[in-house]
């Protein structure tokens, strides 16, 4: 009797599968195919995510508290300083002379121009206008300036001698028509006599933010 019941149940199961047009073998194949498709889709998605993560641009590493200090007589160094501040999310401080420089003052062809006289005197210290900046909360300080007569302007000497750079990372940068940074950063370092001064570099006046990121990454 039990065998008869089992035979009848088996008959109905097979008939049901056949009626649906699906055999047990087909069910197994379709099930396996679905699993393989799901695995393939998952693998493709994982590979796509990996590719996206690999092509994603590496973030620029900067200090939490960064300051960009600059002196700019014609606006060139100012533009570069502003780009650095934008990339590093830094504060800006402009070194402003009490007596602004005129185009005549900047005439390096004239031996009697103001800048010629200043640069020929290593002890000259132009006065800085405005309120002094507090360096206490900053751990990284960029210092920018134009190159005059192969050196930093004397007002930069005034600035570095007026502050304590202890426990600060100081990164000099300059702008110029063609001259490199030369010994100007070392001269400022010696006058400051404090701080961890990194090697400085000359940056193009129209430097892009991507190039600034690459430069900063090279410092790291």
């Amino acid at each position: 009797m039990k065998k008869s019941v089992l035979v009848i149940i088996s008959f109905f199961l097979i008939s049901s599968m056949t009626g649906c047009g699906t055999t047990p073998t087909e069910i197994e194949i379709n099930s396996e195919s679905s699993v393989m498709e799901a695995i393939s889709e998952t693998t493709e998605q994982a590979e796509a995510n990996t590719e996206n993560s690999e092509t994603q641009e590496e973030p620029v590493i900067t200090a939490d508290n960064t300051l960009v200090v600059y002196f700019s007589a014609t606006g060139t160094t100012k533009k570069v300083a502003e780009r650095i501040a934008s990339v590093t999310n830094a504060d800006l401080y402009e070194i402003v002379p009490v007596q602004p420089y005129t185009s005549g003052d900047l005439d390096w062809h004239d031996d009697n121009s103001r800048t010629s006289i200043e640069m020929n005197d290593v002890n000259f210290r132009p006065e800085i206008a405005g309120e002094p900046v507090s360096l206490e909360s900053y751990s990284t300080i960029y210092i920018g300036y134009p190159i005059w007569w192969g050196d930093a302007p004397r007002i930069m000497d005034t600035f570095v001698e007026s502050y304590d750079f202890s426990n600060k990372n100081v990164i000099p940068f300059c702008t110029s028509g063609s001259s490199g940074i030369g010994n100007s950063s070392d001269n400022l370092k010696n006058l400051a006599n404090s701080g961890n001064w990194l090697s400085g570099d000359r940056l193009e006046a129209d430097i892009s933010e991507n190039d600034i990121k690459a430069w900063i990454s090279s410092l790291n």
Side-chain angles (χ1 to χ4, degrees):
M1 183 67 179
K2 290 182 180 180
K3 289 184 179 179
S4 300
V5 173
L6 291 173
V7 170
I8 293 171
I9 293 173
S10 300
F11 173 80
F12 278 109
L13 286 173
I14 295 171
S15 298
S16 175
M17 293 175 185
T18 305
C20 295
T22 305
T23 66
T25 303
E26 287 175 336
I27 292 174
E28 292 171 1
I29 293 173
N30 290 337
S31 177
E32 181 179 356
S33 175
S34 298
V35 171
M36 294 303 295
E37 288 177 359
I39 293 174
S40 176
E41 291 175 358
T42 302
T43 303
E44 290 175 356
Q45 183 63 41
E47 290 175 349
N49 291 339
T50 301
E51 182 178 354
N52 290 335
S53 64
E54 289 176 350
T55 57
Q56 186 175 3
E57 186 177 358
E58 290 294 327
V60 174
I61 302 174
T62 59
D64 292 335
N65 301 306
T66 305
L67 175 68
V68 179
V69 175
Y70 71 93
F71 165 69
S72 184
T74 64
T76 301
T77 307
K78 177 180 180 179
K79 292 178 181 178
V80 176
E82 289 174 341
R83 292 191 190 107
I84 294 174
S86 175
V87 167
T88 60
N89 194 29
D91 293 333
L92 272 171
Y93 176 77
E94 182 179 6
I95 299 172
V96 179
V98 169
Q99 180 183 351
Y101 290 90
T102 66
S103 57
D105 293 336
L106 301 174
D107 185 2
W108 59 277
H109 294 288
D110 183 1
D111 292 338
N112 294 315
S113 70
R114 176 183 170 190
T115 49
S116 294
I117 295 171
E118 289 180 2
M119 297 309 295
N120 284 325
D121 183 357
V122 295
N123 295 314
F124 200 96
R125 297 293 183 268
E127 189 177 354
I128 297 175
E131 293 295 323
V133 61
S134 173
L135 304 184
E136 183 177 355
S137 62
Y138 299 105
S139 57
T140 299
I141 302 173
Y142 292 84
I143 294 183
Y145 50 87
I147 291 294
W148 288 357
W149 286 257
D151 205 349
R154 297 298 177 213
I155 197 168
M156 299 306 300
D157 299 348
T158 306
F159 178 81
V160 299
E161 288 180 340
S162 302
Y163 292 89
D164 181 7
F165 296 92
S166 298
N167 302 317
K168 316 291 183 186
N169 291 317
V170 185
I171 307 170
F173 67 94
C174 74
T175 60
S176 71
S178 59
S179 301
I181 198 166
N183 294 323
S184 63
S185 59
D186 288 336
N187 294 339
L188 293 176
K189 174 183 177 180
N190 292 334
L191 290 172
N193 197 31
S194 62
N196 175 37
W197 287 67
L198 281 66
S199 297
D201 205 353
R202 172 184 176 271
L203 302 181
E204 296 289 343
D206 59 351
I207 188 171
S208 67
E209 289 197 354
N210 285 335
D211 286 340
I212 289 174
K213 291 177 182 179
W215 172 60
I216 294 173
S217 295
S218 70
L219 297 175
N220 293 331

